[in-house]
Amino acid sequence: MRAVVTVIGKDTTGIIAAVSNVLSEKKINILDINQSVLSDMFVMVMLVDISSSTVDFSALSTELSNLGDNMGLKILAMHEDIFNTMHRI
């Protein structure tokens, strides 16, 4: 099973490291990552494999959201199926 993780906020040092660390601790593999900085705004989208995760998806989503709050970012985790359904034409 896969999920999409999005991160948006003011660019600061360590954003990728902090998010990657949380995922690594939970045995979640990053399959693909795309990030850019637009002026001083950081935007990142990750496709991750959650099939071996050591926590349930709700706990992961909450932890990432809390990390975002602590770093002044908006971090959202969404199951791939929900993401695809929302963006289906």
Side-chain angles (χ1 to χ4, degrees):
M1 175 159 279
R2 301 185 312 180
V4 176
V5 177
T6 59
V7 182
I8 300 172
K10 186 169 174 59
D11 187 32
T12 58
T13 301
I15 296 172
I16 297 172
V19 174
S20 297
N21 188 51
V22 168
L23 297 174
S24 176
E25 288 174 351
K26 310 298 186 257
K27 306 294 184 218
I28 296 169
N29 189 39
I30 299 169
L31 302 172
D32 199 358
I33 182 172
N34 188 347
Q35 67 87 33
S36 62
V37 179
L38 309 168
S39 293
D40 65 343
M41 291 298 295
F42 178 87
V43 179
M44 178 169 65
V45 180
M46 303 171 113
L47 181 63
V48 298
D49 181 351
I50 58 174
S51 58
S52 298
S53 178
T54 58
V55 296
D56 67 33
F57 190 76
S58 178
L60 173 66
S61 182
T62 298
E63 184 168 348
L64 288 172
S65 181
N66 290 340
L67 173 65
D69 291 344
N70 292 337
M71 296 183 73
L73 305 165
K74 178 68 175 173
I75 303 177
L76 176 66
M78 185 181 309
H79 278 281
E80 181 184 35
D81 293 341
I82 293 171
F83 182 86
N84 287 336
T85 300
M86 287 176 53
H87 295 91
R88 185 170 295 144
I89 297 177

